[in-house]
Amino acid sequence: MLYIITEFCIFVPMELPSKLLENVVNEIAQLPGIGKRTALRLALHLLRQPKEQTHNLTTSLDKMRSEIKYCEECYNISDFSVCAICANPKRDKTIVCVVEDVRDVMAIESTGLFKGIYHVLGGKINPIEGIGPSQLNIKPLIDKVATEKVLEVIFALSSTMEGDTTNFYIYKQLKEFDVITSTIARGIGIGDELEYTDEITLGRSLMHRIPFEQSIRQI
Ligand SMILES: [Zn+2]
């Protein structure tokens, strides 16, 4: 069996010399954006590291998987039952920014411009993939608006068809309440994901948000 390993490339042979190595390669290759070739390179790298390092990696992964929590107020990830943003008395709890997932919270936080709180939906309505409103954290958002002092709900989902559908569904649910609904300005290109938008553009979009009704007319 021939391995040609250079600094630049590894050719993945049809069969690996170890089933143990193959198992690791197969697991790593399931990660997004990682093909078999990269998986083999990473597995061989791990094999060359001191045992302590791989032990630390597997322990961290195990601990994260078993101990991480979702904030019981906004569904952001957290080490505690309430996340640092919701627990911060300086955050304005009357302004709620609705996002698809925790990466969007990180992206908006990196702008340093938003002082309200978040609500993480955990996805978008997508009938083709069988994701309906009940599978997302939409009801807790409606309950929050119904029972707490919320003055504004900002939709900050990516501007895809699924994002627009989700915004509109929530907008209709919120109509009976005395709350302003707005959306981040569409400086962000159609289909762009928030996490890939640069901080200045995202910050500007947040500051120049527009009433949601106005955005429906633009669609
Ligand atoms: Zn929270």
Side-chain angles (χ1 to χ4, degrees):
M1 193 170 299
L2 177 69
Y3 282 91
I4 304 169
I5 302 176
T6 72
E7 209 176 321
F8 302 105
C9 63
I10 297 178
F11 294 99
V12 184
M14 293 299 283
E15 247 181 63
L16 296 175
S18 154
K19 186 75 186 156
L20 297 171
L21 174 66
E22 192 181 319
N23 290 343
V24 174
V25 169
N26 288 340
E27 291 302 324
I28 296 175
Q30 286 186 39
L31 297 171
I34 296 192
K36 276 266 166 90
R37 190 182 301 191
T38 305
L40 177 58
R41 186 161 58 79
L42 292 173
L44 291 174
H45 170 78
L46 289 170
L47 201 54
R48 285 194 297 266
Q49 300 309 301
K51 271 188 179 174
E52 192 192 334
Q53 195 166 327
T54 47
H55 174 74
N56 290 346
L57 175 65
T58 52
T59 309
S60 302
L61 285 171
D62 263 349
K63 267 179 96 69
M64 177 183 75
R65 199 65 191 85
S66 60
E67 293 178 20
I68 211 161
K69 296 177 178 65
Y70 288 92
C71 171
E72 55 192 40
E73 292 187 18
C74 76
Y75 300 90
N76 188 13
I77 50 172
S78 173
D79 291 346
F80 305 100
S81 54
V82 175
C83 77
I85 297 169
C86 290
N88 183 348
K90 289 187 180 145
R91 303 297 293 233
D92 182 355
K93 294 201 170 186
T94 65
I95 304 177
V96 180
C97 183
V98 179
V99 294
E100 181 185 341
D101 69 27
V102 293
R103 289 172 302 173
D104 303 327
V105 173
M106 295 174 201
I108 296 174
E109 281 299 286
S110 70
T111 69
L113 292 171
F114 182 63
K115 301 299 173 205
I117 54 169
Y118 297 91
H119 187 89
V120 182
L121 293 177
K124 289 176 284 194
I125 296 172
N126 189 336
I128 295 165
E129 289 181 13
I131 302 169
S134 62
Q135 283 142 286
L136 305 172
N137 302 318
I138 292 178
K139 190 169 180 304
L141 172 66
I142 310 302
D143 291 347
K144 186 189 272 276
V145 174
T147 58
E148 293 172 31
K149 194 182 161 209
V150 178
L151 301 178
E152 182 179 358
V153 171
I154 305 167
F155 297 117
L157 303 184
S158 54
S159 43
T160 55
M161 194 162 67
E162 292 80 18
D164 290 339
T165 305
T166 311
N167 287 342
F168 193 66
Y169 178 87
I170 298 172
Y171 166 72
K172 280 197 299 179
Q173 303 274 311
L174 291 177
K175 248 188 148 179
E176 64 176 286
F177 303 106
D178 186 21
V179 62
I180 296 167
T181 46
S182 61
T183 182
I184 57 172
R186 299 293 170 115
I188 299 173
I190 301 293
D192 282 354
E193 300 291 343
L194 288 191
E195 67 169 324
Y196 298 122
T197 307
D198 71 81
E199 289 160 18
I200 296 166
T201 309
L202 181 54
R204 208 179 286 144
S205 303
L206 259 170
M207 291 301 105
H208 298 109
R209 55 191 183 267
I210 53 171
F212 185 68
E213 286 90 346
Q214 203 174 316
S215 77
I216 305 173
R217 283 200 292 274
Q218 285 178 359
I219 293 169

